[in-house]
Amino acid sequence: MRWLEFKMKPANQSTVAGFVLLGLSDQPKLEKMFFVLILLTYLVILLGNGVLILVTILDFRLHTPMYFFLGNLSFLDICYTTSSIPLVLDGFLTPRKTISFSACAIQMFLSFAMGATECVLLGMMAFDRYMAICNPLRYPMVMRKAVYVPMAASSWLAGGANSLVQISLAVQLPFCGDNVINHFTCEILAVLKLACADISINVVSMGVANVIFLGVPVLFILASYIFILTTILRIPSVEGRKKAFSTCSAHLTVVVIFYGTILFMYGKPKSKDPLGADNQDVSDKLISLFYGVLIPMLNPIIYSLRNKDVKVTVKNLVSQKCFPK
């Protein structure tokens, strides 16, 4: 993990009151292109996830655990991107990309909380698919409203509590001297690099959090899908296997993209060559951009394309709006 390479910086008497964000690029033409692309992507995120939330609320047939979790995921994606994208867009419009210490702490808290919540929520969605496919007769009893609503609420509480712990430890560190964050947002790993004190507690705390919020959900999802695939393969008819797999293919696709990006982001080796380090900084920013912008945009597209119920409901809503009786 990258934070294991953080070093204690020399102390300085002056304490920073804010930070300077280097942003995605220092080339004006590239910044204009990034501004347009990110703005359009953000609008698609708001529209796509907003439509998913709307259809899961308006269509009574979609008042099921799977679509309730999906609505939570869409709302989470809107919150996650809104915690960072406006800051990124504002950075393209201002020559000096500055952010106050308190605003940086709030942005870190929101993005960290949304990320941890999504990890837990994806695990709960895997459990929902496991119960629906492997135990269909018990599914209505186990996944009733009195169960799945607290499940979703607990994922939000767990993510928020974890973020509160991590950010509380981070803001207690002294930041002196260099206040330039080599990133386009207040990303917690980039911020911790600027601390001029021992960050061993932060390293241990984030390591434990990674095991809980990354390792445990991944193992849970993997175990769930082993049982799901085993059950699907036992279905005698090809049509039955295809129908059963279609109910979980969208979730599986989202899980692979989400966790694949995280593992690639934090698992790739660190370059020791100065030129390689600069290129890696650019690579890290692009991967973070993919994680923070493209994944929330892809989620509603994936669930819409692979879900007949959502497509039918959207078509009905559009037809009623455009061609009212």
Side-chain angles (χ1 to χ4, degrees):
M1 295 294 181
R2 290 180 296 178
W3 53 79
L4 294 178
E5 301 175 10
F6 294 164
K7 305 296 184 182
M8 186 172 69
K9 297 185 177 293
N12 192 310
Q13 296 300 320
S14 60
T15 303
V16 301
F19 297 101
V20 177
L21 300 171
L22 289 184
L24 276 170
S25 172
D26 57 357
Q27 301 295 324
K29 290 184 178 180
L30 284 178
E31 287 199 336
K32 291 179 181 178
M33 182 187 70
F34 278 130
F35 177 84
V36 174
L37 290 176
I38 293 175
L39 177 60
L40 291 176
T41 304
Y42 182 50
L43 294 177
V44 172
I45 290 170
L46 295 179
L47 177 63
N49 287 286
V51 168
L52 267 182
I53 294 172
L54 190 63
V55 298
T56 57
I57 292 175
L58 295 181
D59 193 337
F60 183 77
R61 295 171 300 175
L62 302 184
H63 290 181
T64 63
M66 182 178 74
Y67 293 108
F68 179 76
F69 288 132
L70 179 56
N72 274 263
L73 182 64
S74 295
F75 181 68
L76 186 149
D77 284 337
I78 291 176
C79 293
Y80 180 79
T81 52
T82 302
S83 71
S84 58
I85 290 184
L87 175 65
V88 176
L89 294 175
D90 180 67
F92 290 132
L93 301 176
T94 54
R96 186 171 175 81
K97 307 169 182 65
T98 59
I99 184 172
S100 66
F101 187 87
S102 58
C104 185
I106 293 172
Q107 196 271 319
M108 284 193 297
F109 170 80
L110 291 174
S111 61
F112 207 86
M114 297 303 106
T117 300
E118 184 160 359
C119 290
V120 180
L121 193 60
L122 288 174
M124 292 184 174
M125 293 174 76
F127 176 75
D128 173 71
R129 292 299 83 207
Y130 162 76
M131 290 301 303
I133 295 175
C134 299
N135 296 280
L137 297 180
R138 296 182 58 200
Y139 180 76
M141 180 182 67
V142 175
M143 295 302 294
R144 58 190 186 277
K145 190 172 183 179
V147 174
Y148 67 77
V149 171
M151 285 174 64
S154 65
S155 67
W156 287 90
L157 291 174
N162 174 58
S163 181
L164 185 62
V165 171
Q166 305 304 331
I167 305 307
S168 296
L169 291 174
V171 297
Q172 292 178 27
L173 294 169
F175 295 91
C176 41
D178 187 14
N179 68 333
V180 178
I181 299 176
N182 189 13
H183 213 273
F184 52 88
T185 62
C186 281
E187 204 261 346
I188 189 168
L189 302 181
V191 172
L192 287 178
K193 288 182 179 180
L194 305 181
C196 51
D198 186 7
I199 59 170
S200 300
I201 295 178
N202 302 77
V203 171
V204 173
S205 178
M206 292 187 70
V208 172
N210 279 339
V211 172
I212 297 173
F213 288 92
L214 286 176
V216 173
V218 166
L219 292 176
F220 186 80
I221 292 170
L222 182 61
S224 297
Y225 274 100
I226 289 175
F227 287 111
I228 288 172
L229 291 175
T230 302
T231 303
I232 290 176
L233 292 175
R234 290 175 181 172
I235 299 175
S237 66
V238 176
E239 188 64 28
R241 289 197 296 269
K242 185 178 179 180
K243 183 178 180 180
F245 185 75
S246 66
T247 63
C248 58
S249 59
H251 175 258
L252 185 59
T253 304
V254 170
V255 166
V256 170
I257 295 174
F258 179 78
Y259 283 106
T261 305
I262 291 178
L263 292 175
F264 183 77
M265 187 189 312
Y266 295 124
K268 59 189 179 69
K270 189 78 172 178
S271 175
K272 295 182 179 180
D273 179 66
L275 181 59
D278 291 339
N279 292 333
Q280 189 171 45
D281 286 337
V282 175
S283 174
D284 290 345
K285 291 178 183 179
L286 292 177
I287 296 171
S288 296
L289 186 66
F290 179 84
Y291 172 78
V293 177
L294 291 183
I295 290 180
M297 182 188 72
L298 291 174
N299 284 350
I301 295 174
I302 292 170
Y303 276 102
S304 297
L305 292 176
R306 293 180 172 271
N307 194 299
K308 292 182 180 179
D309 293 333
V310 173
K311 286 191 288 187
V312 169
T313 302
V314 171
K315 288 180 181 179
N316 290 339
L317 289 175
V318 172
S319 61
Q320 290 175 9
K321 186 71 175 178
C322 299
F323 308 102
K325 294 181 179 180

